[in-house]
Amino acid sequence: MKINIKEIGNNSVLAGTDNGRRVLAKLLTLAGQEPGAVETLYLDFGQVKVATASFLREAVFGFRDAVRRRKSNYYPLIANAEPLVLDELAVLVKALGEVLPVCTLDDSGEAEDLRLIGELEPKQKITFDLVTARGECDAAELMREQADSVGQTAWNNRFAGLAGLGLLVELSQGRSKRYKTLLARS
């Protein structure tokens, strides 16, 4: 699913907490019907010239946090953001200690230049990189393969933290869970 942020924000300049909350409400309505399977939801910032930190905090982080809290099958990804918007996001993620996935969409709607803005804490970065390299894995696999003495619970906690940020997709298989990165091509 792709949502045009300029269209629902009614402007190419998006500013302010109240405006961010109005856009958040629209996003939650548009994403109200839960998909049956995992789906990337592109927040398309194409043609948005400026978005302030207060707007982005309310709309983008508010939306990401809301869908992650409800364990949604939607995984938001910022798409087609202009350099000024990316700069504002970079300042905001640093100030909040957050991380967001971003990309550009090609003419056919396929994501390219998939990347993270912000810095993961070192153990999360290791975990994220390991999942990205494998495509999909679980805590038991990483515990067996890694030389450090970290147990399965620690790996599960790292996975849960990354899933809470919307960076890993949690795939339930009975009582066990496997994870894949949002940035991997399906």
Side-chain angles (χ1 to χ4, degrees), residues 45-136:
F45 274 80
Q47 301 174 350
V48 172
K49 300 300 178 204
V50 175
T52 65
S54 57
F55 172 86
L56 293 166
R57 183 187 63 242
E58 296 300 322
V60 172
F61 287 100
F63 181 69
R64 189 240 6 229
D65 293 346
V67 295
R68 295 302 2 114
R69 271 193 309 274
R70 74 179 195 209
K71 304 280 190 204
S72 174
N73 280 332
Y74 283 123
Y75 284 81
L77 192 107
I78 306 300
N80 301 326
E82 298 281 340
L84 286 175
V85 175
L86 287 173
D87 287 347
E88 197 71 16
L89 275 170
V91 169
L92 185 59
V93 297
K94 184 173 183 175
L96 297 174
E98 289 278 0
V99 178
L100 281 176
V102 299
C103 72
T104 54
L105 297 175
D106 66 17
D107 292 336
S108 65
E110 288 294 314
E112 50 188 25
D113 191 24
L114 298 152
R115 64 199 184 283
L116 298 177
I117 56 172
E119 294 292 322
L120 289 170
E121 71 94 29
K123 297 297 183 184
Q124 285 183 326
K125 174 90 170 96
I126 290 166
T127 305
F128 182 80
D129 290 345
L130 288 168
V131 175
T132 300
R134 287 166 174 71
E136 185 179 310

Side-chain angles (χ1 to χ4, degrees), residues 15-25 52 54-55 57-59:
T17 299
D18 289 342
N19 195 25
R21 288 179 182 155
R22 279 190 291 279
V23 168
L24 171 60
T52 65
S54 57
F55 172 86
R57 183 187 63 242
E58 296 300 322

